[in-house]
Amino acid sequence: MRDAVDDFLDQWAVQRTDLDLDAMGAIGRILRLSRLVNAHLKDYFAHHGLETWEFDVLATLRRSGRPLTAKSLADSVMISSAALTNRVDRLVTRGLVARESVPGDRRSLHVTLTDAGRELVDGTVEGHVRNQRKLLSALDEPDREEFTRMLRTLLISLGDTH
């Protein structure tokens, strides 16, 4: 079976016979897969009254098990401090997170889940995990493990390490 990327590669192969298109095919598929997965996640979260970014912030706070400084939270969700400030403001308005002073540091604030935020993320995460499994259901367990290993290798090679 062919995918949409095969058609693009076929067109390039006719126009530029000198190009090695293997990497283009892989990267094209990663990008298309990302868009498709993001669309499915967006639909799932919308069903729960959330934007994807809202779940990302709430889930980051929940899995950390403790309040986080704005910098730590921004680093974890991979956005700028300015973007995080805007997002936290919106979540504060919804009553899902709160800002608290950091003892001994008047310049820093912790962001913490409210009871409503914790309840929302806990009520959403189990379905989110099921949805993710469904999105990968075309792969059997050994293929999922190999796919995960290869993705990790690529992420590490591009500097996404801790």
Side-chain angles (χ1 to χ4, degrees):
M1 185 177 288
R2 294 171 51 87
D3 63 21
V5 175
D6 288 319
D7 294 336
F8 304 151
L9 296 175
D10 288 348
Q11 292 169 343
W12 274 115
V14 169
Q15 300 301 318
R16 292 290 307 269
T17 58
D18 59 313
L19 295 176
D20 178 355
L21 301 171
D22 287 343
M24 182 184 282
I27 298 298
R29 286 182 175 94
I30 290 169
L31 294 173
R32 290 180 70 82
L33 182 61
S34 176
R35 286 187 206 116
L36 290 168
V37 167
N38 282 331
H40 282 276
L41 295 177
K42 183 178 179 182
D43 289 346
Y44 173 78
F45 292 126
H47 180 73
H48 293 276
L50 288 167
E51 297 283 336
T52 303
W53 68 263
E54 290 174 311
F55 179 81
D56 194 21
V57 171
L58 297 174
T60 298
L61 289 166
R62 179 66 172 105
R63 74 175 183 259
S64 73
R66 60 185 169 76
L68 295 174
T69 63
K71 180 175 179 1
S72 294
L73 186 54
D75 289 347
S76 185
V77 295
M78 296 174 42
I79 59 173
S80 70
S81 294
L84 180 72
T85 298
N86 181 308
R87 291 177 181 192
V88 169
D89 287 346
R90 292 170 64 184
L91 292 169
V92 166
T93 300
R94 288 191 60 190
L96 300 174
V97 301
R99 288 187 180 94
E100 300 173 349
S101 298
V102 175
D105 185 353
R106 294 183 350 188
R107 294 179 298 152
S108 295
L109 294 173
H110 275 143
V111 180
T112 185
L113 284 174
T114 62
D115 290 341
R118 183 183 183 111
E119 185 177 310
L120 181 58
V121 75
D122 281 350
T124 307
V125 72
E126 288 178 24
H128 175 50
V129 170
R130 282 192 303 276
N131 188 43
Q132 290 173 325
R133 282 196 163 290
K134 184 177 135 192
L135 293 172
L136 294 177
S137 65
L139 303 175
D140 62 20
E141 187 174 345
D143 286 344
R144 277 193 316 271
E145 289 172 2
E146 180 66 7
F147 183 61
T148 298
R149 185 195 65 73
M150 290 188 297
L151 290 171
R152 182 181 299 111
T153 298
L154 285 172
L155 285 169
I156 290 168
S157 76
L158 295 172
D160 191 24
T161 61
H162 278 269

